[in-house]
Amino acid sequence: MHIETLLAHTGCLDDPETGAIVAPIHLSTTFHRNDDGTYPRGFIYSRDNNPTRNLFEQTLALIEGGEDCTSFSSGMAATHAIIQALAPGSHVIIPDDVYHGLTNLADNMFGNWGISFDRAKMTNLDDIAQRITPQTQLIWLETPSNPMLQIADIRSITQLAKKHGVYVVVDSTWTTPLLQKPLDLGADLVIHSVTKYLAGHSDVLGGAVVAKAHTPLSEAIRDIQKSCGAVMDPFSAWLTMRGMRSLSSRLKTQCQNAHAVAQFLAGHPLVEQVHYPGLSNHPGHSIAKLQMSHFGAMLSFQVIGKARRAFSVAAQTKIFQRATSLGGTESLIEHRASIEPESSQTPENLLRLSIGLEYVNDLLQDLDSALKD
Ligand SMILES: Cc1ncc(COP(=O)(O)O)c(C=O)c1O
């Protein structure tokens, strides 16, 4: 079945008792036990296992092409579970341009867990290869990267990793399974901040990890989910499934809008540079074309001038809301360098855009008048 059909039916079932088309939310934290001590329906306690969470996990695993999915209370809880699943002494390679939550975790917490790490330029295979050590267990990819929209070649990197027995995880938050299928390109794990496009309405916090196959790493992630308890709650799982039903229409429009915004900004006299892999002069354009079905709805651009100028452009927009996060129906604009750690390499004149579902000419006009003000 096509992924768009699967998505349209997310969270739907033919409930034998009521005939309901949409699955109910199971809020119960505990479940009946038989007099012989067994749990014949498989549910014991909602931290371990919950019918609504299960349905979400099974659906996302199917859509990503994985054997297992574990869901969490946020994208960072999912990230944390992957790192915690590694044995102390492990070495991890992370991108030099990546969501700053991972940078913070690496800088401030990996050491406490006995995990060492190196940063690599994920657009350069030699740079990654040079950083692999006998202790390396995991390569972390985010493509397009945040906020510079760099493109990593998932297939080549997973081939390199396999030669060294190293796992590869891809953060697919920005692309969703509709735009990119890392497991089909050789990755072992996919992670999502469900908070963004999957839920899609800026009103759910959640995370998920999908494993291509049951491995010691995926089993360890499942153990951490159950034992540490940062699980996705049933209402968030239900809201996420509701969001996923309209993902393909939302994302199509958002991607079209983003492409138009990128082209408009690329021709604007007050813009220094636009970072969007859909532009033919983007250094990762040809790889993006191969591994993505569309170029996404996120982009960043550098204004001519310094941080003050970028702040003043963001201050003038009326339709673009000034806020962090992404993937909702409303367009957002954000000065990234000032929200990232001090070590951030993000240019001070860079603004990141999450493109929503508004009428595209309204978005173009809003940016044009903010730039001219
Ligand atoms: C690419 C990416 N990965 C992970 C996360 C973390 O997700 P959450 O905020 O749900 O913890 C974010 C959050 O912005 C993100 O943008």
Side-chain angles (χ1 to χ4, degrees):
M1 215 183 283
H2 194 275
I3 185 170
E4 293 186 8
T5 309
L6 291 172
L7 280 165
H9 287 237
T10 302
C12 297
L13 45 72
D14 182 359
D15 181 14
E17 262 176 46
T18 63
I21 279 177
V22 175
I25 311 176
H26 288 279
L27 293 172
S28 187
T29 53
T30 190
F31 299 84
H32 279 289
R33 190 174 190 180
N34 272 4
D35 52 11
D36 62 359
T38 58
Y39 289 93
R41 282 160 284 202
F43 296 102
I44 300 173
Y45 183 61
S46 269
R47 173 159 46 74
D48 289 346
N49 213 353
N50 169 279
T52 313
R53 195 169 80 223
N54 270 13
L55 185 59
F56 164 66
E57 291 180 349
Q58 285 159 9
T59 308
L60 189 58
L62 181 72
I63 286 169
E64 281 287 9
E67 277 183 7
D68 197 20
C69 172
T70 35
S71 59
F72 294 88
S73 54
S74 68
M76 285 314 296
T79 301
H80 169 260
I82 295 173
I83 302 299
Q84 287 265 287
L86 303 173
S90 300
H91 173 255
V92 178
I93 301 178
I94 66 170
D96 64 348
D97 185 55
V98 72
Y99 169 58
H100 68 89
L102 180 68
T103 308
N104 279 332
L105 209 64
D107 285 341
N108 304 323
M109 288 178 204
F110 278 20
N112 297 342
W113 307 329
I115 307 288
S116 62
F117 71 96
D118 269 305
R119 292 187 170 87
K121 196 145 201 53
M122 294 304 180
T123 50
N124 181 339
L125 204 59
D126 290 339
D127 193 41
I128 304 169
Q130 276 168 22
R131 289 167 206 278
I132 297 177
T133 73
Q135 283 69 45
T136 306
Q137 293 293 313
L138 184 74
I139 297 175
W140 192 285
L141 297 182
E142 186 184 88
T143 178
S145 68
N146 187 356
M148 298 305 290
L149 283 285
Q150 290 169 4
I151 300 295
D153 180 342
I154 299 174
R155 198 181 284 284
S156 306
I157 295 169
T158 54
Q159 280 166 358
L160 169 73
K162 281 203 169 54
K163 279 193 211 145
H164 296 269
V166 171
Y167 289 115
V168 173
V169 54
V170 179
D171 186 330
S172 271
T173 300
W174 282 22
T175 46
T176 84
L178 269 175
L179 304 189
Q180 192 166 269
K181 297 285 289 291
L183 301 183
D184 294 350
L185 297 169
D188 302 283
L189 300 175
V190 161
I191 177 177
H192 288 282
S193 166
V194 163
T195 315
K196 317 298 181 189
Y197 291 100
L198 291 182
H201 295 77
S202 305
D203 53 10
V204 173
L205 204 59
V209 182
V210 183
K212 173 80 182 166
H214 290 283
T215 61
L217 184 63
S218 73
E219 301 302 333
I221 293 167
R222 175 70 70 192
D223 285 347
I224 289 167
Q225 182 205 36
K226 291 182 177 184
S227 302
C228 301
V231 294
M232 180 179 270
D233 69 274
F235 190 45
S236 298
W238 189 88
L239 277 177
T240 302
M241 289 191 280
R242 187 170 71 163
M244 285 167 71
R245 290 207 280 278
S246 59
L247 178 66
S248 75
S249 324
R250 281 190 281 114
L251 206 54
K252 267 180 208 158
T253 306
Q254 285 169 298
C255 288
Q256 275 168 18
N257 283 356
H259 212 129
V261 169
Q263 278 169 332
F264 168 77
L265 290 173
H268 201 288
L270 297 172
V271 170
E272 186 180 287
Q273 204 178 344
V274 180
H275 307 280
Y276 183 67
L279 296 178
S280 55
N281 63 354
H282 184 282
H285 179 65
S286 51
I287 298 168
K289 228 166 137 177
L290 280 178
Q291 67 186 21
M292 299 174 77
S293 62
H294 202 292
F295 301 106
M298 295 295 298
L299 63 119
S300 61
F301 69 102
Q302 291 170 245
V303 295
I304 293 174
K306 296 202 174 289
R308 260 183 53 194
R309 169 72 182 142
F311 269 111
S312 90
V313 170
Q316 296 304 324
T317 57
K318 306 275 183 299
I319 294 171
F320 280 86
Q321 306 292 301
R322 275 186 311 284
T324 196
S325 201
L326 58 115
T329 60
E330 67 291 338
S331 291
L332 301 177
I333 187 164
E334 188 182 29
H335 183 259
R336 279 307 281 183
S338 52
I339 200 170
E340 292 179 346
E342 257 177 43
S343 59
S344 160
Q345 300 295 309
T346 300
E348 61 170 322
N349 60 346
L350 180 137
L351 292 167
R352 192 187 76 176
L353 303 179
S354 167
I355 303 295
L357 289 173
E358 299 89 344
Y359 183 62
V360 68
N361 285 350
D362 286 345
L363 296 178
L364 304 184
Q365 231 168 46
D366 196 30
L367 288 169
D368 194 35
S369 34
L371 279 159
K372 284 180 180 153
D373 252 11

